[in-house]
């Protein structure tokens, strides 16, 4: 199934951002939103620790970043190794919790082991990464935590129990980090996109077709974009610009909130 062609988003690097001398960590960096965020922060001068379990994807990312102001340092890591995740975050100035996975199944058919893995990667790992990053952020009196949540952190959808539960939990974790971090110059926010043109979304199509009993070529219009006023997928670079905005100096008073990029979904 082919999705609508990409639509014009923001011009490249539209948010003024200088992260020279800063260390940023981005999870799920080998593709999709994470890849776009890693490139965006490297373009702003950061040393980006690009975390993913996909070694080949990280190598391609590092090569792509070769002509940018900052650097991308591949860090092959499975986030189910929670101790290693916490260690990887030490010394981080900017933390972007992005890694995610999805399975679309009715509750009564949802494999418990997959539910456990989704919550480990998408909720417990962000907690451990934040825990690992905060001592350095507190010591220097500055830090930025951006949690890539979802419209599903604000709204539920059928057949996505693990994903919805994890994203709702991430919203609460982000707010708690904001309250605790405020006296130390650390902000914590969520970015909440609807469906983004990523491998994760592309892989959902067959699952959604099966769950809803419709052909794959109807999934985009009748399921994924049904509640969106803007009938298109979001481009990963648009999400990366929102992340950049939350790291910029003019956003220092924005914390404990969710920047919704849902094309009007939650306006209903």
């Amino acid at each position: 199934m082919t999705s609508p062609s990409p639509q014009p988003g923001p011009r490249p690097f539209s948010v003024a951002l200088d992260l020279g001398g800063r260390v940023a960590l981005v999870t799920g960096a080998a593709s999709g939103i994470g890849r776009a965020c890693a490139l965006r922060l490297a373009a702003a001068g950061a040393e980006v620790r690009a975390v993913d379990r996909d070694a080949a994807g990280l190598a391609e990312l590092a090569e792509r970043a070769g002509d940018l102001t900052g650097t991308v340092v591949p860090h092959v890591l499975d986030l189910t190794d929670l101790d290693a995740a916490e260690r990887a975050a030490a010394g981080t100035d900017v933390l972007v919790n992005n890694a995610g996975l999805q399975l679309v199944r009715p509750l009564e058919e949802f494999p418990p082991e997959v539910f456990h893995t989704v919550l480990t990667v998408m909720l417990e790992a962000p907690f451990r990464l934040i825990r690992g990053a905060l001592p350095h952020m507190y010591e220097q009196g500055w830090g930025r935590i951006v949690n890539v949540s979802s419209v599903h952190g604000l709204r539920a959808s059928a057949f996505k129990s693990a994903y919805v539960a994890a994203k709702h939990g991430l919203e609460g974790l982000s707010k708690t980090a904001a309250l605790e971090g405020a006296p130390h110059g650390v902000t914590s926010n969520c970015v909440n996109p609807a469906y983004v043109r990523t491998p994760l979304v592309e892989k959902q199509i067959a699952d959604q077709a099966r769950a809803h009993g419709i052909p794959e070529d109807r999934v985009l219009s009748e399921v994924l974009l049904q509640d969106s006023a803007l009938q298109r997928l979001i481009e990963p670079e648009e999400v990366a610009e929102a992340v950049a905005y939350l790291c910029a100096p003019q956003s220092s008073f924005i914390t404990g909130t969710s920047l919704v990029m849902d094309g009007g979904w939650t306006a209903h």
Side-chain angles (χ1 to χ4, degrees):
M1 190 197 81
T2 58
S3 55
S5 300
Q7 298 295 312
R11 65 180 177 84
F13 310 148
S14 59
V15 173
L17 180 62
D18 180 2
L19 291 177
R22 300 288 189 186
V23 175
L25 187 152
V26 180
T27 65
S31 65
I33 296 171
R35 182 181 187 275
C37 288
L39 292 172
R40 180 64 181 92
L41 299 180
E47 174 190 316
V48 180
R49 297 176 186 170
V51 172
D52 205 293
R53 60 184 181 180
D54 177 2
L58 289 179
E60 189 278 331
L61 169 67
E63 182 178 355
R64 166 67 180 81
D67 58 350
L68 298 178
T69 306
T71 59
V72 170
V73 181
H75 192 122
V76 180
L77 175 65
D78 188 329
L79 289 177
T80 60
D81 186 342
L82 297 169
D83 290 339
E86 184 169 330
R87 289 193 299 269
T92 299
D93 303 300
V94 175
L95 173 61
V96 180
N97 284 311
N98 165 74
L101 57 155
Q102 177 66 281
L103 180 68
V104 181
R105 292 287 189 280
L107 270 165
E108 70 277 13
E109 298 175 11
F110 207 100
E113 66 276 10
V114 177
F115 190 96
H116 173 75
T117 299
V118 170
L119 264 69
T120 299
V121 171
M122 295 173 56
L123 182 54
E124 193 167 1
F127 158 69
R128 295 293 294 271
L129 286 154
I130 292 171
R131 189 174 187 270
L134 283 181
H136 171 71
M137 292 181 177
Y138 284 1
E139 182 179 3
Q140 68 179 357
W142 190 92
R144 295 290 180 265
I145 300 168
V146 183
N147 300 297
V148 180
S149 181
S150 166
V151 67
H152 285 111
L154 308 173
R155 295 285 190 273
S157 287
F159 311 122
K160 297 182 179 180
S161 55
Y163 190 88
V164 170
K167 291 302 190 183
H168 273 68
L170 186 64
E171 295 282 329
L173 175 65
S174 183
K175 289 179 172 64
T176 300
L179 295 176
E180 294 186 18
H184 306 280
V186 176
T187 65
S188 176
N189 294 287
C190 287
V191 174
N192 299 66
Y195 291 101
V196 184
R197 192 184 304 277
T198 65
L200 185 145
V201 168
E202 298 290 349
K203 290 174 183 176
Q204 281 189 57
I205 292 173
D207 276 350
Q208 289 279 12
R210 188 181 309 110
H212 291 273
I214 60 176
E216 290 187 20
D217 61 3
R218 290 168 51 193
V219 168
L220 196 66
S221 61
E222 296 184 21
V223 179
L224 299 189
L225 299 180
Q226 181 182 28
D227 295 318
S228 179
L230 296 176
Q231 289 288 297
R232 69 171 177 90
L233 297 175
I234 307 169
E235 301 304 320
E237 292 75 17
E238 293 179 89
V239 183
E241 283 301 301
V243 171
Y245 171 69
L246 292 173
C247 296
Q250 59 265 37
S251 302
S252 62
F253 207 70
I254 300 175
T255 195
T257 193
S258 300
L259 178 54
V260 183
M261 305 177 66
D262 68 352
W265 185 335
T266 54
H268 288 278

